[in-house]
Amino acid sequence: GANTEKVYATINGKANDSQLCFSSGEMFRLIESYITDNFGEKGKFRFVIAPDDTPYACTCPSCTAIGNTEKNATPAVTELILRLSQRFPRHFFFTTSYLTTQQVTDKQLPPNAGVIVSTVAGVGFHGLSSFRYREMNRIGFADYYSMAAARIW
């Protein structure tokens, strides 16, 4: 629609349609509408919220205020997942540990949120002991994210 440009990231001070802005109110509203219209509020569906496969994160004023840096989208992605998991307490929301979301969040995730860890990126089960992922509620492993939801749960 006409507001889709509001979901694009700011990279190097310019709008960039190769990445998404996860702090955008329009992004939340689009996802909220999509879930409500297609899945309802009472189901137990699983959703993955993840940046596009680029090495850059949004650094608009809103994302930067949350904690994003040029190469770290974890803060804004985590905040969006927290909002979605609160809005839809019966659905499950996951992000990935890959590229701009490799930095572990310092936020406690609710029971209906988690992280999918990529084995492609070389982070295997044994490597997790040094990360705070073991403190999170749900962890999934996937060779390819496009297959993650179907293969893990």
Side-chain angles (χ1 to χ4, degrees), residues 11-82:
I11 298 173
N12 297 322
K14 298 178 184 171
N16 188 314
D17 66 0
S18 70
Q19 190 53 273
L20 301 169
C21 174
F22 291 92
S23 70
S24 162
E26 186 62 22
M27 171 71 80
F28 179 82
R29 284 185 290 282
L30 287 170
I31 295 171
E32 179 183 39
S33 293
Y34 178 79
I35 292 171
T36 302
D37 294 348
N38 294 284
F39 301 94
E41 304 208 16
K42 296 183 180 177
K44 291 187 176 183
F45 292 94
R46 290 166 174 84
F47 302 92
V48 175
I49 307 296
D52 287 335
D53 271 359
T54 70
Y56 302 104
C58 182
T59 54
C60 73
S62 180
C63 283
T64 302
I66 294 170
N68 272 24
T69 64
E70 184 179 298
K71 304 221 183 243
N72 181 15
T74 297
V77 172
T78 300
E79 288 298 320
L80 178 57
I81 286 176
L82 290 172

